[in-house]
Amino acid sequence: ASYPSWIYNKIPNFSGSFWAPDIIHMGGYYYLYYSVSTFGSSNSAIGVARTVSLTCPSWQDLGIVVQSYGGNNEINAIDPALYRDHDGKVYMSYGSFFGGIGIAEVNQSTGKLSTSVTHIYGGGHQDIEAPYITRDGDYYYLFVNRGACCNGASSTYYVQVLRSTNIMGPYTGVRTILPNSSGKYKGPGHIGVLKENGCNYVSIH
């Protein structure tokens, strides 16, 4: 019926399109991270809500996690992706055009950031967005989208991957793993990885 009240103050031109959510279980709650923005703008924010149950959810909005203020060189506060490392620490990567991709550790009791944001890739208004980090052995893998989304058959989206021995980077060795076209599919975007029973399952839109 209404948006969380902080949105009206932070993103006054918000039209109601919540973007690119991600969810993680921490300390007995499911935390849902979501993007609040206007298309093509870096006047953006990532918010978080939590619930004990996904079967019968009762969402409690916890407010803003990180914000960008419209600047050309800011890390655009959209496209959150959560990752739990082998040591139990949880990190949120995010970002888009404008200032590139950033990462910070998450306080697992509050759902908010517990460290300052570190820039790890992109910037200079390059077409780099929708990060997702996972780990295999000694390497962290950073997946990103290149190109432009949301234009149907004219979308130029494709997916690249880089790697690093440190979650904070630097990430190097860029490779294209999902091209713009594959058979009848066009413009793959916003990769997600599920590890289960020794297999890696990848989702895209």
Side-chain angles (χ1 to χ4, degrees):
S2 62
Y3 310 140
S5 59
W6 66 265
I7 294 177
Y8 295 102
N9 296 323
K10 299 294 186 180
I11 315 294
N13 296 321
F14 181 61
S15 64
S17 296
F18 292 89
W19 297 352
D22 198 14
I23 195 164
I24 190 170
H25 191 260
M26 301 185 296
Y29 291 93
Y30 295 93
Y31 287 82
L32 174 68
Y33 294 79
Y34 57 89
S35 307
V36 182
S37 185
T38 54
F39 194 83
S41 165
S42 64
N43 184 20
S44 310
I46 294 171
V48 63
R50 71 181 183 181
T51 180
V52 172
S53 170
L54 292 180
T55 305
C56 300
S58 178
W59 292 106
Q60 174 194 12
D61 193 83
L62 303 177
I64 194 167
V65 177
V66 66
Q67 181 178 5
S68 51
Y69 299 88
N72 253 353
N73 297 315
E74 291 183 81
I75 297 174
N76 194 13
I78 65 170
D79 295 354
L82 283 298
Y83 169 71
R84 179 177 283 111
D85 207 348
H86 292 189
D87 60 5
K89 292 182 179 180
V90 173
Y91 297 87
M92 185 184 80
S93 60
Y94 71 97
S96 178
F97 291 59
F98 305 98
I101 306 302
I103 190 171
E105 188 178 344
V106 172
N107 182 321
Q108 298 182 52
S109 297
T110 66
K112 303 297 183 68
L113 302 185
S114 63
T115 64
S116 58
V117 176
T118 298
H119 176 269
I120 56 172
Y121 190 62
H125 218 278
Q126 297 178 79
D127 55 353
I128 296 170
E129 61 185 2
Y132 190 92
I133 292 175
T134 188
R135 181 174 171 177
D136 186 34
D138 294 331
Y139 286 97
Y140 297 91
Y141 290 86
L142 169 65
F143 298 89
V144 294
N145 261 97
R146 303 299 307 268
C149 74
C150 315
N151 293 316
S154 298
S155 296
T156 60
Y157 249 4
Y158 61 100
V159 178
Q160 292 185 329
V161 66
L162 307 92
R163 70 180 189 176
S164 174
T165 56
N166 189 322
I167 195 168
M168 298 296 181
Y171 286 88
T172 60
V174 62
R175 294 184 181 183
T176 296
I177 59 164
L178 289 171
N180 176 250
S181 296
S182 178
K184 67 179 181 179
Y185 299 103
K186 179 77 170 177
H190 214 139
I191 208 165
V193 179
L194 171 66
K195 294 189 173 188
E196 186 174 61
N197 299 327
C199 293
N200 294 327
Y201 299 92
V202 177
S203 62
I204 55 172
H205 67 63

